[in-house]
Amino acid sequence: MLSTTARTSRQAVRLILAQQQRFAHARNTVINFVPQQEAWVVERMGRYHKILEPGFNVLLPIIDRIKYVQSLKEIAIEIPQQGAITVDNVQLQLDGVLYLRVVDPYKASYGVEDPEFAITQLAQTTMRSEVGKISLDTVFREREQLNISIVEAINKASEPWGLVCMRYEIRDMTMPAKIQEAMQMQVEAERKKRAAILESEGKRDAAVNVAEGEKRARILRSEAAMQEKINEAEGQKRAVELNAEARMRGLDMVASSLNKEGGQNAASLTVAEQYVGAFHNLAKETNTVIVPQNVSDVNGMVAQALSVYKKLSGPSNPK
């Protein structure tokens, strides 16, 4: 594997050859046609004269000379791999790709000898400087922010050269094997920690859900029992009301019947029947029976029942 210095030297030679190839087709032929997205810098008797625009241009022979040809297209430059040390003393190997464009052909021609080579060196030093300001974890976590910081630093330094850095991308990033193993162990420990936390949270949520379910069930059972008691009370209340209403209606009907012709005789007959029936059923309830002496005198019993009835109904019935 070539060292960083050898790769940088080889890239510098490649850039110089590319510059020479651009000069080869930019000779003054009096009538010159400048391609689109190119700027030809013309010197007249060794002094800067003007920049030819794309299209048809006429130059004086011998006196005018096309000194520089600058491409206005965006170009990509490979930044060789280099070492950089983070703020926590971890050595990294990084390489990247730099995208730049010539915005001022005059400054790009006279501000620096080789703008592409200069911007490459600037990108390398800027990368080392920016990586040295942050820790290893930040390099991986804020890789995009690192690219932005490198672009800003390059643009500040390359302004006198007529170049602008469009973007910078870190392509590969390697570290020592021991550091990589330690980071892998840290990642595994973090995953185990998250798994344990998630498991404990799951158990907690399950316990909370069970408790909430039991609480809700007890509330529902108590509400059901309360509603059942309310319903029973309402039923008993309604039954009492209905019985009272039936009793009231029955009494009203009896009172109305008593006031009719023959009502007193019917009442006497009913009382006599009930009185006799009571003695008839008395022996069925218990073995000990208390009876009057004249139990065999049915007429006397009926007369006694009618006498009781007349005494009870006497005040309410005028004679």
Side-chain angles (χ1 to χ4, degrees), residues 129-143:
S129 176
E130 293 296 328
V131 171
K133 298 178 183 178
I134 57 180
S135 62
L136 178 63
D137 293 337
T138 308
V139 172
F140 290 95
R141 187 170 57 250
E142 300 181 2
R143 189 167 179 173

PDB file of all heavy atoms in Angstrom, residues 129-143:
ATOM      1  N   SER A 129      -7.625  19.228  11.333  1.00  0.00           N
ATOM      2  CA  SER A 129      -7.932  20.239  12.341  1.00  0.00           C
ATOM      3  C   SER A 129      -9.333  20.055  12.920  1.00  0.00           C
ATOM      4  O   SER A 129      -9.534  20.132  14.137  1.00  0.00           O
ATOM      5  CB  SER A 129      -7.799  21.635  11.731  1.00  0.00           C
ATOM      6  OG  SER A 129      -8.178  22.630  12.650  1.00  0.00           O
ATOM      7  N   GLU A 130     -10.329  19.804  12.059  1.00  0.00           N
ATOM      8  CA  GLU A 130     -11.706  19.648  12.542  1.00  0.00           C
ATOM      9  C   GLU A 130     -11.886  18.364  13.340  1.00  0.00           C
ATOM     10  O   GLU A 130     -12.608  18.353  14.334  1.00  0.00           O
ATOM     11  CB  GLU A 130     -12.674  19.672  11.361  1.00  0.00           C
ATOM     12  CG  GLU A 130     -12.765  21.004  10.650  1.00  0.00           C
ATOM     13  CD  GLU A 130     -13.317  22.096  11.533  1.00  0.00           C
ATOM     14  OE1 GLU A 130     -14.147  21.779  12.405  1.00  0.00           O
ATOM     15  OE2 GLU A 130     -12.912  23.258  11.364  1.00  0.00           O
ATOM     16  N   VAL A 131     -11.239  17.280  12.924  1.00  0.00           N
ATOM     17  CA  VAL A 131     -11.337  16.024  13.670  1.00  0.00           C
ATOM     18  C   VAL A 131     -10.685  16.178  15.035  1.00  0.00           C
ATOM     19  O   VAL A 131     -11.143  15.593  16.034  1.00  0.00           O
ATOM     20  CB  VAL A 131     -10.700  14.876  12.869  1.00  0.00           C
ATOM     21  CG1 VAL A 131     -10.592  13.611  13.720  1.00  0.00           C
ATOM     22  CG2 VAL A 131     -11.522  14.585  11.626  1.00  0.00           C
ATOM     23  N   GLY A 132      -9.601  16.975  15.124  1.00  0.00           N
ATOM     24  CA  GLY A 132      -8.918  17.184  16.399  1.00  0.00           C
ATOM     25  C   GLY A 132      -9.726  17.967  17.413  1.00  0.00           C
ATOM     26  O   GLY A 132      -9.366  18.020  18.590  1.00  0.00           O
ATOM     27  N   LYS A 133     -10.856  18.552  16.999  1.00  0.00           N
ATOM     28  CA  LYS A 133     -11.689  19.343  17.915  1.00  0.00           C
ATOM     29  C   LYS A 133     -12.797  18.526  18.562  1.00  0.00           C
ATOM     30  O   LYS A 133     -13.449  19.012  19.488  1.00  0.00           O
ATOM     31  CB  LYS A 133     -12.327  20.514  17.162  1.00  0.00           C
ATOM     32  CG  LYS A 133     -11.327  21.505  16.591  1.00  0.00           C
ATOM     33  CD  LYS A 133     -12.054  22.586  15.822  1.00  0.00           C
ATOM     34  CE  LYS A 133     -11.073  23.561  15.170  1.00  0.00           C
ATOM     35  NZ  LYS A 133     -11.780  24.603  14.370  1.00  0.00           N
ATOM     36  N   ILE A 134     -13.034  17.319  18.077  1.00  0.00           N
ATOM     37  CA  ILE A 134     -14.171  16.543  18.562  1.00  0.00           C
ATOM     38  C   ILE A 134     -13.701  15.171  19.027  1.00  0.00           C
ATOM     39  O   ILE A 134     -12.570  14.735  18.735  1.00  0.00           O
ATOM     40  CB  ILE A 134     -15.245  16.383  17.466  1.00  0.00           C
ATOM     41  CG1 ILE A 134     -14.641  15.730  16.208  1.00  0.00           C
ATOM     42  CG2 ILE A 134     -15.866  17.717  17.114  1.00  0.00           C
ATOM     43  CD1 ILE A 134     -15.651  15.537  15.100  1.00  0.00           C
ATOM     44  N   SER A 135     -14.567  14.480  19.750  1.00  0.00           N
ATOM     45  CA  SER A 135     -14.247  13.149  20.252  1.00  0.00           C
ATOM     46  C   SER A 135     -14.614  12.084  19.220  1.00  0.00           C
ATOM     47  O   SER A 135     -15.244  12.368  18.201  1.00  0.00           O
ATOM     48  CB  SER A 135     -15.005  12.888  21.564  1.00  0.00           C
ATOM     49  OG  SER A 135     -16.403  12.922  21.338  1.00  0.00           O
ATOM     50  N   LEU A 136     -14.213  10.849  19.536  1.00  0.00           N
ATOM     51  CA  LEU A 136     -14.460   9.744  18.602  1.00  0.00           C
ATOM     52  C   LEU A 136     -15.951   9.500  18.410  1.00  0.00           C
ATOM     53  O   LEU A 136     -16.418   9.310  17.285  1.00  0.00           O
ATOM     54  CB  LEU A 136     -13.774   8.482  19.119  1.00  0.00           C
ATOM     55  CG  LEU A 136     -13.975   7.213  18.278  1.00  0.00           C
ATOM     56  CD1 LEU A 136     -13.376   7.387  16.892  1.00  0.00           C
ATOM     57  CD2 LEU A 136     -13.360   6.009  18.975  1.00  0.00           C
ATOM     58  N   ASP A 137     -16.703   9.514  19.500  1.00  0.00           N
ATOM     59  CA  ASP A 137     -18.146   9.282  19.387  1.00  0.00           C
ATOM     60  C   ASP A 137     -18.813  10.361  18.551  1.00  0.00           C
ATOM     61  O   ASP A 137     -19.735  10.090  17.781  1.00  0.00           O
ATOM     62  CB  ASP A 137     -18.784   9.226  20.771  1.00  0.00           C
ATOM     63  CG  ASP A 137     -18.328   8.015  21.567  1.00  0.00           C
ATOM     64  OD1 ASP A 137     -17.906   7.034  20.938  1.00  0.00           O
ATOM     65  OD2 ASP A 137     -18.393   8.065  22.815  1.00  0.00           O
ATOM     66  N   THR A 138     -18.339  11.600  18.672  1.00  0.00           N
ATOM     67  CA  THR A 138     -18.918  12.702  17.908  1.00  0.00           C
ATOM     68  C   THR A 138     -18.628  12.557  16.425  1.00  0.00           C
ATOM     69  O   THR A 138     -19.444  12.942  15.585  1.00  0.00           O
ATOM     70  CB  THR A 138     -18.383  14.043  18.433  1.00  0.00           C
ATOM     71  OG1 THR A 138     -18.570  14.107  19.845  1.00  0.00           O
ATOM     72  CG2 THR A 138     -19.096  15.210  17.772  1.00  0.00           C
ATOM     73  N   VAL A 139     -17.459  12.023  16.076  1.00  0.00           N
ATOM     74  CA  VAL A 139     -17.104  11.835  14.663  1.00  0.00           C
ATOM     75  C   VAL A 139     -18.123  10.939  13.972  1.00  0.00           C
ATOM     76  O   VAL A 139     -18.580  11.229  12.859  1.00  0.00           O
ATOM     77  CB  VAL A 139     -15.687  11.246  14.534  1.00  0.00           C
ATOM     78  CG1 VAL A 139     -15.382  10.871  13.089  1.00  0.00           C
ATOM     79  CG2 VAL A 139     -14.652  12.241  15.032  1.00  0.00           C
ATOM     80  N   PHE A 140     -18.528   9.853  14.631  1.00  0.00           N
ATOM     81  CA  PHE A 140     -19.490   8.930  14.024  1.00  0.00           C
ATOM     82  C   PHE A 140     -20.920   9.455  14.116  1.00  0.00           C
ATOM     83  O   PHE A 140     -21.715   9.258  13.202  1.00  0.00           O
ATOM     84  CB  PHE A 140     -19.396   7.555  14.704  1.00  0.00           C
ATOM     85  CG  PHE A 140     -18.130   6.811  14.395  1.00  0.00           C
ATOM     86  CD1 PHE A 140     -17.043   6.872  15.249  1.00  0.00           C
ATOM     87  CD2 PHE A 140     -18.021   6.067  13.243  1.00  0.00           C
ATOM     88  CE1 PHE A 140     -15.875   6.179  14.967  1.00  0.00           C
ATOM     89  CE2 PHE A 140     -16.857   5.366  12.938  1.00  0.00           C
ATOM     90  CZ  PHE A 140     -15.782   5.427  13.805  1.00  0.00           C
ATOM     91  N   ARG A 141     -21.214  10.138  15.217  1.00  0.00           N
ATOM     92  CA  ARG A 141     -22.587  10.583  15.425  1.00  0.00           C
ATOM     93  C   ARG A 141     -22.910  11.828  14.611  1.00  0.00           C
ATOM     94  O   ARG A 141     -24.041  12.001  14.146  1.00  0.00           O
ATOM     95  CB  ARG A 141     -22.801  10.855  16.911  1.00  0.00           C
ATOM     96  CG  ARG A 141     -24.248  11.166  17.280  1.00  0.00           C
ATOM     97  CD  ARG A 141     -24.458  11.181  18.772  1.00  0.00           C
ATOM     98  NE  ARG A 141     -23.584  12.124  19.443  1.00  0.00           N
ATOM     99  CZ  ARG A 141     -22.564  11.790  20.235  1.00  0.00           C
ATOM    100  NH1 ARG A 141     -22.292  10.520  20.443  1.00  0.00           N
ATOM    101  NH2 ARG A 141     -21.803  12.699  20.815  1.00  0.00           N
ATOM    102  N   GLU A 142     -21.919  12.718  14.428  1.00  0.00           N
ATOM    103  CA  GLU A 142     -22.151  13.980  13.733  1.00  0.00           C
ATOM    104  C   GLU A 142     -21.249  14.074  12.500  1.00  0.00           C
ATOM    105  O   GLU A 142     -20.544  15.060  12.293  1.00  0.00           O
ATOM    106  CB  GLU A 142     -21.905  15.154  14.680  1.00  0.00           C
ATOM    107  CG  GLU A 142     -22.817  15.142  15.901  1.00  0.00           C
ATOM    108  CD  GLU A 142     -22.582  16.323  16.806  1.00  0.00           C
ATOM    109  OE1 GLU A 142     -21.722  17.163  16.449  1.00  0.00           O
ATOM    110  OE2 GLU A 142     -23.234  16.423  17.853  1.00  0.00           O
ATOM    111  N   ARG A 143     -21.320  13.042  11.702  1.00  0.00           N
ATOM    112  CA  ARG A 143     -20.484  13.004  10.504  1.00  0.00           C
ATOM    113  C   ARG A 143     -20.896  14.076   9.503  1.00  0.00           C
ATOM    114  O   ARG A 143     -20.055  14.715   8.874  1.00  0.00           O
ATOM    115  CB  ARG A 143     -20.599  11.613   9.868  1.00  0.00           C
ATOM    116  CG  ARG A 143     -19.619  11.345   8.742  1.00  0.00           C
ATOM    117  CD  ARG A 143     -19.623   9.863   8.420  1.00  0.00           C
ATOM    118  NE  ARG A 143     -18.731   9.538   7.339  1.00  0.00           N
ATOM    119  CZ  ARG A 143     -18.447   8.297   6.939  1.00  0.00           C
ATOM    120  NH1 ARG A 143     -19.009   7.284   7.588  1.00  0.00           N
ATOM    121  NH2 ARG A 143     -17.618   8.071   5.944  1.00  0.00           N
TER     122      ARG A 143
END
